Amino acid sequence: MQYQYRNILLTKIVTAALVALIIAGCSFSDSSKSISNIVSSPIKSSSDSSKSEQSYESDVADYTATYIKSGGDTTKLKSGISKVAEKRGITDWEKDSATYQGLGQGFKRAGVKQVEVDAYKHTLTDTDEQASWIQQGYDAASKDN
Amino acid sequence: MLTLAFVSVSNRAMARPFDYLDIEAGSGASSGGHAAIRFGDDTYHFLNADPGIVRAVRVRSDKFDYDYRAYDNRGIDVTRVDVSDATYETLRMAFVRRVLVEDAQIDALDSARRDGKLLDWLAAHDSRATSSSLPTDPGVMLKGAGYFYGGSSHDASTTDTATNEWNIILQRTGAATMRDLREDIERNLGTDWLDRQTAELDRKLHGLRYTRAATPKFELNRVPDAGVEFADRYRDLLLARLALDVIATARPPVPGAFRTSTLPAFLLDAHEIQVMRTRAAHLRAGLQKLVTSSRRDRGFPLLVAMARLVAMDTSIALGRLVVPDTFEDIHDAITPGQLLANENAAAAVLAEKQNELARAKRAIVSATPDKEVRWTELELAANLYLEFERGFVSGALIRVEPSPVPTRAAALDPAWPHPDATPAVLVAWRDQARAVTDDIQEELARLYGYDLVSRNCVTEIFATIDDAFAQTTPPAEPEAAERAALGGRVDGERDFNFVPFISAAAVNQTYRVSERLQLPSYRHYWLDRMLRDNDSITTRLRESNTLTSRLYQRGEPDVFLFYTDDKPVLRPILGATNLLFGTGAAAAGLMTLPFDHGRLALGGLRGVLFSIPELAFVNIRKGSNAIVPRNWMTTPAFDATYTTAQRGDLSDAMQDTRHGPAMDDH
């Protein structure tokens, strides 16, 4: 045992029974519905624009990797991206390079092969520029690995 | 004692720490305490949510601290665990996966519920039921349409907007903006493009059919197959149809859906107006691409972009900032009375929002026009500032659910295109949708049903950690891998580990812990600073009770006299006093029942309830705050006399707001 907490533990276990009697369990989801939502703001503005860009890109990559690995229907991937983007304050995500770079990173992390990435480019993009952004993200993640 | 490092163990082989958080009990929603796990800027925790499940939630770490430490006044004990980069990422992705998969499964439930409600609504309207028996909720929120189509409940908050000069400019400018957009589209895509697209959308809307999918079988770690999504497809098609109709008919914007103010913070100088022109031109060009996008849900971003274009063009015409109203329903609103009872804190929050707006204005000037998020930040900052300013100065309700992007919704109009189906068919579809809803609820209960002991906010953290290793190592070895990576394994269901503070001790005993920290609550943070400036018996006595404390905020739902969280030895005596105090308040509350709707009586009863554990040395109540600035660790909002310099700033901010030409044009 790294820390000697036995004495504290004994006291706390005795009181745990008392606590358990009045435990309401963990936090309820509606506990956050309060003035704190408006004071603390739904999105965090950052003086460093590249940081918020990276956070969004990272969200898209996390989502894409999880979605692909868990066998999600790729035709529905776009609607999931819409939700990820909206939480970051973005609605027209098709013109944001971070979206497609995040997709490319997510593909790499999910172990998608280049030939499959090429197929995704056809189904997920409307322009050559968007396809090139996916490739950039995929290549960047390959270097990181 | 701002941050206590109990022990620090250096382990150079380890690279990145994650934090296990044990949040003190509070008299609000979690009297047994709470637990969470933190990976840098993101904190993951599990909430008891509809429909009776534990729901995985990801929150910004700064927001989590604000909610629990500042607003709820609860301290957090942090146990820091050092792990390798690879283990850190394995764990982080396990929590990401848990949130995303569960969100998708709950989305499926919400989608099925929407199907049932919409079909019920359509059936009732098609059968021409009497208006009193018509369902009021069609299940479908037409997000973004509320900027051009009326009927939203938000209009209740507006005042005589038609007579406002700026609203006349807004409507004229908006209609002109849409005419320009229509001309651009006709020039680029052809004069009949809008008509053809509209006809195609109408055909799809009329031809929409509900087909019941197979009963879903949810799995942990697997995004569910897409459900029926009848209502969602209807919403997406209808929003696209409405967006095109706004352009085709040059429909003017709804006056109460946009906001501006004559406050100095909203004035635009020549350079800012030029920036606005550049951004509007960029947005207009982007709209040309968005109308032809293959996105199924393109109607919503189209309506948002059009609302923003109208706001920008009107800003240029007026020379002051105009933004779409980004708040959701008026039902999620509070009266400003209890906030204004804490005048210094209210003034500090208002000053903070004013500063955030000024910062967002500066940021938009330096940002390239393709960065939508910069505009979102400006829009949000303007809305937050106006909401507080309007509430504090005129006493209007303060809405507390701002949306990150403009989502003002329009009510569904029965005259709009809808599926061609008889009322009997619609009713049959509705019944199928309700059956799907029941099936999904059962699946969610099976996977995530809340249980005080076996599936709660603690047990799910350790289950997710177990799962992280189960997903990444051979089936026979996950536990060995977990022990090697973390130093051991904690079983969330064993002994009393389901209780947050006991689980923290288990983490401390089991994992490779490098550090333990105590993050103080708002009250303890500022009390410590007060005592550092003047550690006297007077200060200690003054801050020990709610009658004389400077830190106490009026508006607290519990009625009590003494803080007992920092006085373990005296707790039973102080608790007995609190019990009497609460009983007295409850009795007095019976007299004031007709005037305060039972607020004092209820507060007294809560005071009694949370005093009882104190008799047995157990503290739950911390005394939550009614309003605290976002930057609560740097802004002494409780007391204008605490910091002279701060007092000057805050008073100036209030002066500017209360006596300036404060017309909130909403």
Side-chain angles (χ1 to χ4, degrees):
Chain A
M1 190 165 78
Q2 288 173 308
Y3 304 103
Q4 297 303 316
Y5 265 77
R6 287 183 200 280
N7 293 338
I8 298 171
L9 257 182
L10 274 175
T11 312
K12 287 190 169 182
I13 288 172
V14 169
T15 57
L18 278 167
V19 173
L21 289 175
I22 43 173
I23 266 176
C26 308
S27 291
F28 289 89
S29 61
D30 62 356
S31 66
S32 60
K33 211 172 210 182
S34 62
I35 194 73
S36 77
N37 282 352
I38 173 170
V39 176
S40 59
S41 186
I43 59 171
K44 185 182 184 182
S45 60
S46 172
S47 53
D48 181 357
S49 61
S50 66
K51 192 177 178 190
S52 57
E53 186 96 333
Q54 280 170 7
S55 300
Y56 169 57
E57 195 175 304
S58 174
D59 279 359
V60 174
D62 283 350
Y63 180 80
T64 305
T66 304
Y67 194 84
I68 301 288
K69 275 183 175 174
S70 70
D73 176 0
T74 49
T75 60
K76 302 286 180 186
L77 186 57
K78 280 187 175 183
S79 65
I81 297 294
S82 289
K83 288 173 187 162
V84 171
E86 198 178 317
K87 285 179 185 164
R88 290 279 179 186
I90 296 166
T91 56
D92 191 3
W93 50 261
E94 288 179 309
K95 67 177 183 187
D96 198 322
S97 59
T99 307
Y100 294 92
Q101 286 165 352
L103 278 165
Q105 285 179 33
F107 290 146
K108 184 66 193 177
R109 280 162 46 186
V112 175
K113 301 274 186 282
Q114 179 64 54
V115 65
E116 294 168 284
V117 173
D118 292 338
Y120 282 131
K121 285 180 192 169
H122 283 291
T123 54
L124 294 173
T125 65
D126 291 332
T127 67
D128 291 343
E129 189 179 38
Q130 291 168 341
S132 74
W133 286 333
I134 286 182
Q135 192 62 49
Q136 281 171 23
Y138 187 80
D139 293 343
S142 303
K143 281 177 195 163
D144 291 345
N145 292 340
Chain B
M1 183 177 66
L2 299 182
T3 301
L4 270 184
F6 290 114
V7 178
S8 179
V9 178
S10 170
N11 189 336
R12 295 179 193 286
M14 299 302 166
R16 298 174 81 178
F18 71 84
D19 293 338
Y20 184 79
L21 310 182
D22 163 27
I23 299 100
E24 290 177 346
S27 56
S30 51
S31 52
H34 192 48
I37 191 164
R38 175 167 293 174
F39 298 92
D41 290 341
D42 293 321
T43 299
Y44 297 83
H45 63 140
F46 293 85
L47 297 171
N48 186 351
D50 173 58
I53 59 169
V54 277
R55 180 163 190 178
V57 177
R58 185 181 81 164
V59 188
R60 283 190 341 252
S61 294
D62 68 299
K63 165 104 174 102
F64 187 90
D65 276 9
Y66 178 83
D67 285 350
Y68 285 93
R69 293 172 63 196
Y71 188 76
D72 279 357
N73 231 344
R74 296 157 68 179
I76 299 178
D77 287 330
V78 179
T79 306
R80 184 154 290 168
V81 183
D82 271 356
V83 291
S84 67
D85 274 346
T87 299
Y88 182 94
E89 197 54 21
T90 297
L91 290 171
R92 189 186 74 84
M93 280 309 292
F95 283 91
V96 167
R97 185 168 60 240
R98 172 66 192 260
V99 170
L100 292 179
V101 170
E102 200 176 340
D103 275 357
Q105 291 166 340
I106 291 169
D107 276 352
L109 173 65
D110 292 340
S111 180
R113 283 174 170 168
R114 286 194 288 273
D115 288 350
K117 284 181 179 174
L118 176 62
L119 288 163
D120 194 37
W121 190 90
L122 289 172
H125 281 81
D126 266 17
S127 64
R128 292 177 173 75
T130 57
S131 58
S132 60
S133 63
L134 287 173
T136 52
D137 180 9
V140 173
M141 250 187 86
L142 295 170
K143 287 196 311 182
Y147 298 103
F148 299 96
Y149 295 88
S152 166
S153 59
H154 299 179
D155 292 342
S157 67
T158 62
T159 52
D160 199 19
T161 47
T163 58
N164 285 344
E165 184 192 353
W166 92 269
N167 267 319
I168 295 167
I169 296 172
L170 171 78
Q171 291 196 285
R172 278 187 192 152
T173 309
T177 299
M178 289 307 127
R179 276 195 297 276
D180 291 347
L181 195 56
R182 184 178 65 203
E183 286 169 13
D184 288 347
I185 288 171
E186 287 174 347
R187 191 164 46 250
N188 294 329
L189 300 169
T191 51
D192 63 343
W193 187 86
L194 281 167
D195 288 341
R196 281 191 287 115
Q197 285 292 309
T198 301
E200 176 64 12
L201 287 166
D202 281 350
R203 189 184 63 75
K204 287 180 178 173
L205 283 161
H206 287 296
L208 202 57
R209 295 289 176 268
Y210 180 90
T211 310
R212 181 175 178 173
T215 302
K217 285 291 173 203
F218 287 171
E219 295 173 39
L220 288 170
N221 297 316
R222 187 172 176 81
V223 174
D225 292 331
V228 176
E229 297 184 334
F230 173 82
D232 294 350
R233 278 186 288 145
Y234 177 69
R235 176 201 60 205
D236 290 342
L237 288 168
L238 187 57
L239 282 175
R241 168 73 168 77
L242 295 176
L244 294 187
D245 192 57
V246 171
I247 301 170
T249 61
R251 190 180 181 88
V254 172
F258 293 79
R259 319 179 77 176
T260 187
S261 172
T262 52
L263 286 164
F266 282 77
L267 294 179
L268 299 172
D269 62 27
H271 182 54
E272 288 166 340
I273 288 173
Q274 188 52 44
V275 167
M276 200 72 80
R277 284 188 208 283
T278 307
R279 195 164 266 273
H282 187 273
L283 186 57
R284 190 171 281 111
L287 269 162
Q288 298 295 313
K289 291 181 184 169
L290 197 51
V291 288
T292 57
S293 165
S294 60
R295 275 177 70 175
R296 195 188 80 170
D297 62 348
R298 72 182 193 279
F300 170 59
L302 257 177
L303 286 160
V304 169
M306 293 193 302
R308 285 173 165 169
L309 190 56
V310 167
M312 288 177 195
D313 284 349
T314 313
S315 297
I316 294 163
L318 282 171
R320 57 189 162 103
L321 183 62
V322 177
V323 289
D325 182 356
T326 60
F327 277 88
E328 293 181 9
D329 208 286
I330 191 73
H331 298 302
D332 289 322
I334 56 170
T335 55
Q338 72 178 83
L339 306 180
L340 287 170
N342 306 286
E343 191 178 347
N344 293 309
V349 167
L350 191 56
E352 190 173 66
K353 296 300 150 208
Q354 189 177 355
N355 289 337
E356 286 172 8
L357 174 57
R359 198 165 56 239
K361 269 175 83 179
R362 286 195 297 275
I364 203 91
V365 169
S366 58
T368 54
D370 60 325
K371 293 301 168 198
E372 180 184 347
V373 71
R374 287 291 164 200
W375 179 261
T376 301
E377 286 167 3
L378 176 67
E379 207 168 57
L380 194 55
N383 269 279
L384 296 180
Y385 175 45
L386 272 183
E387 199 67 15
F388 277 112
E389 192 272 339
R390 200 169 60 111
F392 289 164
V393 175
S394 69
L397 286 173
I398 296 175
R399 293 170 292 169
V400 294
E401 285 296 309
S403 169
V405 293
T407 53
R408 187 182 165 98
L412 182 59
D413 187 333
W416 286 338
H418 56 78
D420 293 330
T422 64
V425 168
L426 290 165
V427 167
W429 287 349
R430 178 201 65 191
D431 293 343
Q432 290 179 34
R434 286 178 177 172
V436 171
T437 304
D438 292 343
D439 290 345
I440 293 177
Q441 285 195 167
E442 281 178 21
E443 284 297 289
L444 287 171
R446 181 176 62 80
L447 286 180
Y448 310 114
Y450 177 81
D451 184 274
L452 179 63
V453 175
S454 64
R455 197 183 275 145
N456 71 3
C457 57
V458 175
T459 63
E460 290 306 278
I461 289 177
F462 297 110
T464 308
I465 290 174
D466 285 347
D467 185 56
F469 293 97
Q471 295 291 315
T472 52
T473 51
E477 301 168 18
E479 190 168 331
E482 185 173 343
R483 290 181 187 282
L486 301 175
R489 176 178 176 270
V490 175
D491 183 345
E493 295 183 47
R494 195 176 161 193
D495 302 329
F496 282 96
N497 282 350
F498 70 92
V499 179
F501 69 78
I502 294 177
S503 71
V507 165
N508 184 52
Q509 289 172 0
T510 311
Y511 289 167
R512 203 169 285 118
V513 174
S514 65
E515 197 174 21
R516 300 198 78 212
L517 310 166
Q518 192 177 61
L519 304 178
S521 66
Y522 172 87
R523 177 173 175 270
H524 282 282
Y525 175 83
W526 283 104
L527 182 58
D528 183 74
R529 287 185 65 162
M530 278 180 172
L531 293 175
R532 271 195 289 157
D533 290 347
N534 178 22
D535 189 355
S536 66
I537 189 71
T538 314
T539 306
R540 287 178 183 273
L541 283 173
R542 188 192 68 216
E543 294 304 324
S544 68
N545 69 88
T546 56
L547 295 181
T548 58
S549 171
R550 286 180 177 177
L551 288 167
Y552 175 71
Q553 288 204 352
R554 288 177 294 278
E556 152 82 28
D558 303 337
V559 177
F560 68 104
L561 185 59
F562 289 111
Y563 291 100
T564 68
D565 54 329
D566 49 356
K567 298 176 188 67
V569 177
L570 292 174
R571 198 168 286 157
I573 298 167
L574 299 179
T577 314
N578 283 336
L579 189 71
L580 289 172
F581 195 73
T583 307
L590 293 176
M591 316 267 207
T592 59
L593 205 60
F595 312 107
D596 69 355
H597 306 289
R599 184 178 167 79
L600 181 59
L602 197 61
L605 287 175
R606 283 176 58 92
V608 169
L609 179 68
F610 288 105
S611 299
I612 293 169
E614 292 171 346
L615 303 176
F617 290 95
V618 175
N619 167 264
I620 291 177
R621 175 177 47 216
K622 303 294 183 297
S624 61
N625 291 305
I627 185 166
V628 180
R630 183 177 180 169
N631 296 317
W632 59 276
M633 294 179 86
T634 54
T635 309
F638 54 90
D639 190 340
T641 61
Y642 188 72
T643 304
T644 308
Q646 287 282 357
R647 181 185 57 188
D649 291 347
L650 301 185
S651 299
D652 288 348
M654 274 310 252
Q655 289 291 324
D656 178 41
T657 304
R658 290 183 183 283
H659 305 298
M663 182 188 77
D664 171 15
D665 296 329
H666 181 173

